Amino acid sequence: MTTRVRPSTKRCAVIGGSGFLGRHLVEKLLDRGYSVSVFDIRQSYELPGVAFHLGDLCDKQALLPAMKDVSLVFHCASPAPASDDRGLFERVNIQGTRIVIQACIEAGVQKLVLTSSASVVFEGTDIKNGREDLPYAKKPIDYYTETKIQQEKLVLEACDKEKGLLTVAIRPHGIFGPRDPQLVPILVDAARRGKMKFIIGDGTNLVDFTFVENVVHGHILAAERLRPDSPICGKPYHITNDEPVKFWDFMSDVLVGLGYAAPRYHLPYALVYGLALLLWLLALILRPLVSFKPTFTPMRVALAGTHHYYNCERAKQDLGYKPVVSLKDGIARTVQSYPHLRQGA
Ligand SMILES: NC(=O)C1=CN([C@@H]2O[C@H](COP(=O)(O)OP(=O)(O)OC[C@H]3O[C@@H](n4cnc5c(N)ncnc54)[C@H](O)[C@@H]3O)[C@@H](O)[C@H]2O)C=CC1
Ligand SMILES: CC(C)CCC[C@@H](C)[C@H]1CC[C@H]2C3=C(CC[C@]12C)[C@@]1(C)CCC(=O)C[C@@H]1CC3
């Protein structure tokens, strides 16, 4: 008779664990007594108690050793939204996620927690207090969003109590915090090049920005509540700071905190969006001859000039979620963590 050893419930794997969110998640899991394997195409740090497995998640044979004796997998790997490479997004977010699911089933993993995105319902127009039952975007704003939609569907459809794999998706929005490689660095780069003088639209559009530790908290609650009899199986959950803020107030707080001037002059939304669209078309047409990446992409202008904030009541009810760090404290901790990006540094 063969006895199947039940993997320890405190052993988990984090796919994408070298990334911004992934590393914060790994650190919190260690604090909570989990032993952690990281699977990533790169190793960005070392930590006692963390086993790194380097490889591409599209390669099942490379993934399987990282899932050995693991009961819980977090999948938070994705190419960066800015890469704009359709083939790469399809390969990693869609085909790769299929392989992650197959590997979980083969390795006897019991729970899979996906980092999805609240953007899966965003089409570039206002979303106010959006709930999880909003339909997926029919016209996603970019390839990143298009493939995040397919990825989420794949993971949620894979939830199968009979087969023994339970799944859940966390949809964060606008993650920020120490070591974020995108939001603050892009913002500071724009400020240093004199591009942060303008407010797109009237500046009153509300947006969710979510401190990274709140996102981590949502992931861990979901993982710990994911059981065959729980209502969360196969469902998506918005995780935000639950404090929608004016997009331009948030940008100003970060900029002023780092010693730069806040944007002051208003530009009409339709004008900037039209210009961004023209620039994007020009970049596309001229791609064979010259390569340039405009700062103002239609996607960024849409993100900067519309309302997009989400209701996280479902996470509060089903997961017992409540943000653990306020927006004000999150901004202060973020600003402090970037001394090298301060004005004059
Ligand atoms: N940063 C944000 O504001 C938001 C992020 N998300 C999602 O959160 C997750 C984590 O995002 P971040 O930490 O910001 O990104 P990140 O770029 O810092 O981390 C992603 C990690 O995935 C790894 N990776 C990429 N392709 C891989 C592959 N083929 N095989 C193995 N590893 C691979 C990268 O090396 C990187 O370490 C992503 O799924 C993203 O879509 C969702 C909403 C908002
Ligand atoms: C999902 C969102 C809540 C998170 C937004 C992250 C990034 C898309 C933004 C971080 C820095 C922002 C930025 C702009 C747009 C949105 C960001 C890239 C601008 C390009 C908007 C137009 C400008 O005036 C310059 C801005 C630079 C910074």
Side-chain angles (χ1 to χ4, degrees), residues 15-23 39-44 53-59 63 75-81 88 91-93 96 114-119 144 148 151 170-176 179-183 210 212 215 219:
I15 304 175
S18 281
F20 164 49
L21 171 65
R23 180 171 172 185
F39 184 89
D40 204 298
I41 35 172
R42 63 191 176 111
Q43 178 169 356
S44 61
H53 298 258
L54 292 187
D56 186 328
L57 62 84
C58 300
D59 176 357
L63 266 175
H75 175 9
C76 55
S78 168
L88 180 69
R91 194 178 71 79
V92 177
N93 286 350
L114 172 73
T115 314
S116 179
S117 168
S119 308
Y144 166 77
K148 289 297 281 184
Q151 178 192 52
I170 298 300
R171 290 180 178 176
H173 195 54
I175 312 176
F176 73 101
R179 299 193 299 251
D180 154 45
Q182 293 190 65
L183 200 152
T210 313
V212 63
V215 180
H219 278 70

Side-chain angles (χ1 to χ4, degrees), residues 10-14 25-26 29-30 34-38 49-52:
K10 283 274 183 180
R11 248 191 105 75
C12 65
V14 180
L25 180 58
V26 169
L29 287 164
L30 292 173
Y34 284 83
S35 68
V36 185
S37 305
V38 165
V50 179
F52 276 89

